């Protein structure tokens, strides 16, 4: 009995130490990723201003070089994806596939390709997010530590470190350690064990602490002071959940249709990537608000007096552009664009109510926050993760009850209409494509 207890204690101590290593690896890797993304976005803004000024002066050399740069980026992205196919898209379905034993990855190759490809794709203006790539980058750190400690790739310890790394990646991406832990257990692990919880908490807290040293501890979204919603108004978040839930049901369907769209077009290599990149080059001058992940747009919703018509334009534009970008298969996630669409849905619903005199305008920023949680719940079908994540990303800890209400309401819409978790659907699509590739290879 004593020997058994000692073995368990040593195993827990080992997981804590490995969790620290995973958290440090994930925090540093995601920190580099975040820094490069911020630098690329700042550079993109400066380029747009310089190109616009040159065009206004009648000089077309800089605009031509600007257009040529997108062709070069498309070529480089195509080379990255061809060299490391596991770096495509969000990265979360790949992590789920590895946990199921249906996929495998070279952790160092994927980590480098994900950072390089994600910075090029998101930095050039494509409507993609950093969170999915950050989850996969964290999973790479978890797998790397597992390899160093010589744990089996399919063993309990290796799976635990992979989940812990994925959660740490999310924690580092959004300064959200609690959401990182819950995401790993609710979305990836789907089961609870003390060992997994111990490693996940250690890794997530460590990763968040590492990134906070470089980026500070402020929430990702700066929405100012959010007024607590009175109890007699909590029916409105439930109604918002139904409204945003209906909007969110189109998201999963459209993602798969976007992938089908590219297959029907028959575009391959750089030409598949060039389509959304050239559109980003144009949208940078026509509707720059929908470029990139969109966290600045969420901040602007709380302070800018956008008209209802413009909010609808932003929603439709962001939605369609996100589908086109993600369907191209470049490295980049849907997490942040999804939250932006939820924020826009909440802003639209709030303005409709305020315009009808049914809702005080002072609570409109609250509806933006609730809309993000609702959209996450209906698309990902992880209402607890969504509620905690939005709470940490906005610093609105006094809205926990309302966030749970709106998340469960939206989740109910998804459940009643047959909605499935988006990452599960994307994984199913990837596995079918993998099986077709093996069949074609066997026939040849």
């Amino acid at each position: 009995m004593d020997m058994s207890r000692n073995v368990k204690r040593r195993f827990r101590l080992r997981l804590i130490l490995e969790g620290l290593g995973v958290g440090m690896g994930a925090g540093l890797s995601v920190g580099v990723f975040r820094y490069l993304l911020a630098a690329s976005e700042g550079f993109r803004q400066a380029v747009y201003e310089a190109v616009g000024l040159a065009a206004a002066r009648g000089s077309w050399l800089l605009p031509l070089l600007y257009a040529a740069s997108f062709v070069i980026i498309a070529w480089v992205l195509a080379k990255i994806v061809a060299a490391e196919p596991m770096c495509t898209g969000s990265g979360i379905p790949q992590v789920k596939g590895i946990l199921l034993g249906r996929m495998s990855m070279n952790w160092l190759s994927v980590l480098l390709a994900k950072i390089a490809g994600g910075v090029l794709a998101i930095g050039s203006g494509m409507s993609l997010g950093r969170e999915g790539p950050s989850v996969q980058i964290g999973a790479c750190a978890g797998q790397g530590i597992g390899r160093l400690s010589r744990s089996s790739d399919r063993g309990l310890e290796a799976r635990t470190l992979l989940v812990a790394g994925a959660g740490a990646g999310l924690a580092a991406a959004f300064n959200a350690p609690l959401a990182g832990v819950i995401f790993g257990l609710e979305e990836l692990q789907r089961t609870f064990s003390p060992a997994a919880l111990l490693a996940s908490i250690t890794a997530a807290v460590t990763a968040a602490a590492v990134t906070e040293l470089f980026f500070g501890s402020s929430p990702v979204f700066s929405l100012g002071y959010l007024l607590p919603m009175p109890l007699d108004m909590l029916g409105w978040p439930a109604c918002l959940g139904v409204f945003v839930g209906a909007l969110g049901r189109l998201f999963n369907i459209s993602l798969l249709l976007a992938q089908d769209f590219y297959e029907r077009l028959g575009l391959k290599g750089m030409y598949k990537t060039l389509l959304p990149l050239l559109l980003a080059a144009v949208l940078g001058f026509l509707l720059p608000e929908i470029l990139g992940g969109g966290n600045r747009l969420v901040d602007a919703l709380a302070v800018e007096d956008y008209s209802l018509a413009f909010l609808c334009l932003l929603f439709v534009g962001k939605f369609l552009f996100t589908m086109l970008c993600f369907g191209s298969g470049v490295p980049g996630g849907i997490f942040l664009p999804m939250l932006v669409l939820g924020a826009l849905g909440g802003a639209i619903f709030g303005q409709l109510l305020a315009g009808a005199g049914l809702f005080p305008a002072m609570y409109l920023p609250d509806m933006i926050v609730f809309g993000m949680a609702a959209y996450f719940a209906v698309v990902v079908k992880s209402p607890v993760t969504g509620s905690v994540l939005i709470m940490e990303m906005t610093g609105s800890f006094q809205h926990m009850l309302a966030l749970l209400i709106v998340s469960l309401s939206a989740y109910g819409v998804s459940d009643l209409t047959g909605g499935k978790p988006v990452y599960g659907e994307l994984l199913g699509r990837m596995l079918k494509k993998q099986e077709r590739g093996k069949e074609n290879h066997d026939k040849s």
Side-chain angles (χ1 to χ4, degrees), residues 153-215:
D153 283 350
R154 298 287 177 86
L156 172 63
E157 188 174 349
R159 288 170 52 86
T160 299
L161 294 179
L162 193 74
V163 172
L170 181 63
F174 288 144
N175 292 349
L178 184 56
V181 174
I182 297 174
F183 176 79
L185 298 178
E186 184 181 28
E187 175 62 24
L188 299 177
Q189 188 87 343
R190 293 287 180 179
T191 57
F192 174 84
S193 71
L197 182 62
L198 183 65
S200 294
I201 291 176
T202 304
V205 171
T206 304
V210 169
T211 52
E212 285 183 10
L213 287 176
F214 298 99
F215 301 100

Side-chain angles (χ1 to χ4, degrees), residues 120-377:
L120 281 174
I122 302 170
S124 61
M126 296 179 73
S127 181
L128 299 166
R130 68 175 184 247
E131 67 304 315
S134 297
V135 168
Q136 191 176 19
I137 290 169
C140 288
Q143 189 180 79
I145 294 296
R147 295 278 175 85
L148 290 174
S149 64
R150 299 181 181 180
S151 61
S152 170
D153 283 350
R154 298 287 177 86
L156 172 63
E157 188 174 349
R159 288 170 52 86
T160 299
L161 294 179
L162 193 74
V163 172
L170 181 63
F174 288 144
N175 292 349
L178 184 56
V181 174
I182 297 174
F183 176 79
L185 298 178
E186 184 181 28
E187 175 62 24
L188 299 177
Q189 188 87 343
R190 293 287 180 179
T191 57
F192 174 84
S193 71
L197 182 62
L198 183 65
S200 294
I201 291 176
T202 304
V205 171
T206 304
V210 169
T211 52
E212 285 183 10
L213 287 176
F214 298 99
F215 301 100
S217 58
S218 59
V220 173
F221 296 126
S222 302
L223 300 177
Y225 179 73
L226 298 170
L227 295 172
M229 186 167 284
L231 291 176
D232 60 354
M233 294 180 62
L234 290 181
W236 289 121
C239 296
L240 173 64
V242 175
F243 176 78
V244 173
L247 295 177
R249 281 294 287 117
L250 298 174
F251 191 88
N252 298 25
I253 299 170
S254 299
L255 277 183
L256 301 180
L257 290 176
Q259 293 179 333
D260 293 337
F261 169 74
Y262 276 98
E263 289 183 6
R264 286 195 298 269
L265 284 180
L267 297 177
K268 296 181 179 180
M270 65 172 289
Y271 299 104
K272 187 177 181 181
T273 308
L274 189 59
L275 180 61
L277 279 172
L278 291 180
L279 184 56
V282 176
L283 287 172
F285 299 100
L286 300 179
L287 198 62
E289 291 86 355
I290 68 173
L291 295 182
N295 57 301
R296 293 182 181 178
L297 175 57
V298 174
D299 293 342
L301 290 176
V303 295
E304 299 290 342
D305 189 20
Y306 292 137
S307 68
L308 182 60
F310 188 63
L311 288 174
C312 292
L313 174 64
L314 289 174
F315 183 90
V316 174
K318 186 68 175 178
F319 184 92
L320 295 176
F321 189 44
T322 300
M323 298 302 124
L324 194 63
C325 292
F326 187 79
S328 68
V330 300
I334 54 174
F335 223 91
L336 190 52
M338 174 174 55
L339 296 182
V340 174
L341 289 170
L344 287 167
I348 291 170
F349 186 76
Q351 280 215 15
L352 288 172
L353 291 181
L358 300 174
F359 190 80
M362 69 177 69
Y363 295 112
L364 288 178
D366 291 34
M367 302 302 271
I368 295 170
V369 174
F370 302 156
M372 288 190 284
Y375 212 88
F376 184 94

Side-chain angles (χ1 to χ4, degrees), residues 10 19 81 86 92 127 135 176 179 236 252 296 317 331 360 387 399 425 434:
R10 285 197 297 269
V81 170
M86 281 292 285
I92 296 176
S127 181
V135 168
W236 289 121
N252 298 25
R296 293 182 181 178
S387 299
H399 290 94
E425 290 189 291
Q434 181 176 280

